[in-house]
Each structure stands twice: as C-alpha cells, then as structure tokens.
Amino acid sequence: SLRIKKYKKEICRKAGFPERRFDIALNLILSKITLYDFSSFKKFIAKAKTDCPDEDDVFYLALALKQKCFLWSNDKVLKNQKLIVAVSTKDLLGMI
C-alpha cells in the first residue's frame, strides 16, 4: 500500500477538495507510473555509486542507467555526474 494514502485526509484538507477527487487523481497518477523491483536494477548500483554526487540519489541514477533514460531532478549536483543526462523542470519546459 502507498504511504500517500496515510495522508489522504490531510492532503484533501490542504488542497480543498473532497476525498473522492483524491482517489480519482491518485488512480490517474498511478496508472502512469511503472514500479521497478530493486532486483531489476541492482546490478547498476555500483556504477551509479562511482559518479553519484549524493548517496541519496544512487538508486534513481541506477534506475536511469538501467532504463537508458534521462533523470528529471532539480538537484543541481546531479548535473555534475557524467553517467546520464539530468534535466530540471526548467529544462523540460524549454523542450515544449
């Protein structure tokens, strides 16, 4: 189960919308997300650790390596690594 559901009432209160709307929005978001088991990208962890500027980002970098994709992050230090392309929200908006 998702931890976000634990905060459903608080999110709805702060956002000012009913819980039913939360359920619809969450289901829409989850339909667009692919979850990966750690075992599917663990072989990329060692390589990610070699160039990752922040140990909190190693798993994200490893998964990006496995998927051969860019990493969307506003963390400026991630742009300093050379393994994958890291793009910010501003970069993404500039692409459209």
Side-chain angles (χ1 to χ4, degrees), residues 11-30:
I11 292 168
C12 290
R13 180 181 52 77
K14 288 182 177 183
F17 57 77
E19 290 184 30
R20 179 70 183 132
R21 187 169 172 197
F22 173 92
D23 294 335
I24 292 168
L26 183 59
N27 286 334
L28 178 63
I29 291 167
L30 292 177

Side-chain angles (χ1 to χ4, degrees), residues 43-76:
K43 69 180 181 181
F44 295 92
I45 296 292
K47 186 173 184 179
K49 282 183 179 180
T50 65
D51 201 28
C52 192
D54 184 345
E55 70 178 50
D56 291 339
D57 296 324
V58 168
F59 295 120
Y60 304 115
L61 189 57
L63 183 56
L65 285 168
K66 178 213 181 282
Q67 291 298 108
K68 298 180 178 128
C69 66
F70 68 86
L71 184 60
W72 175 14
S73 173
N74 288 321
D75 190 342
K76 291 178 182 157

Side-chain angles (χ1 to χ4, degrees), residues 24-48:
I24 292 168
L26 183 59
N27 286 334
L28 178 63
I29 291 167
L30 292 177
S31 74
K32 304 296 181 188
I33 294 175
T34 303
L35 299 177
Y36 292 88
D37 189 83
F38 176 73
S39 64
S40 72
F41 64 92
K42 72 179 178 183
K43 69 180 181 181
F44 295 92
I45 296 292
K47 186 173 184 179

